[in-house]
């Protein structure tokens, strides 16, 4: 039996998926095509999960568009958010957007 999707990958070139609901640490994040990755930590609904290892300095790509840059290396399955990325457009300390 197929597992219902709990994340969406918006473009084949994306290195992150977006949680459709809260995903618990240890749970698999699965897209509609059945591709999945084990969440290494809790991923709140609407937040991004790394689909592959993203090295420091690499762009975070969502919907085929670079939206931020990784500050440290981000392991596959980890939360991708303001604590480990920097915006190319805004100041994370003040704008809290990635």
């Amino acid at each position: 039996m197929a597992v219902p999707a709990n994340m969406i990958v918006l473009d084949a070139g994306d290195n992150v998926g977006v949680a459709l609901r809260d995903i618990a640490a240890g749970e698999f994040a699965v897209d509609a095509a059945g591709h999945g990755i084990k969440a290494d930590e809790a991923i709140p609904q609407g937040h991004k999960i790394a689909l592959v290892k993203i090295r420091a300095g690499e762009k975070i790509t969502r919907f085929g568009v670079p939206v931020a840059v990784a500050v440290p290396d981000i392991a596959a399955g980890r939360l991708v958010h303001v604590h480990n990325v920097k915006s190319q457009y805004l100041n994370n300390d003040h704008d809290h957007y990635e």
Side-chain angles (χ1 to χ4, degrees):
M1 178 177 205
V3 176
N6 58 7
M7 83 164 165
I8 187 168
V9 179
L10 299 166
D11 185 86
D14 289 357
N15 56 8
V16 296
V18 180
L20 296 173
R21 62 165 176 77
D22 290 347
I23 299 171
E27 182 180 0
F28 276 85
V30 181
D31 68 12
H35 302 112
I37 186 154
K38 187 175 182 181
D40 214 24
E41 62 185 314
I43 311 295
Q45 180 180 5
H47 289 256
K48 293 178 291 302
I49 183 172
L51 300 174
V52 295
K53 180 178 183 174
I54 304 169
R55 298 202 180 276
E58 275 188 67
K59 295 188 190 275
I60 308 300
T61 305
R62 184 185 66 203
F63 214 158
V65 177
V67 295
V69 176
V71 176
D73 288 349
I74 304 170
R78 301 292 292 181
L79 176 66
V80 177
H81 199 51
V82 296
H83 68 289
N84 57 7
V85 303
K86 68 178 180 177
S87 173
Q88 300 177 95
Y89 313 105
L90 303 170
N91 179 326
N92 282 14
D93 293 332
H94 297 99
D95 300 314
H96 301 288
Y97 184 81
E98 82 275 14

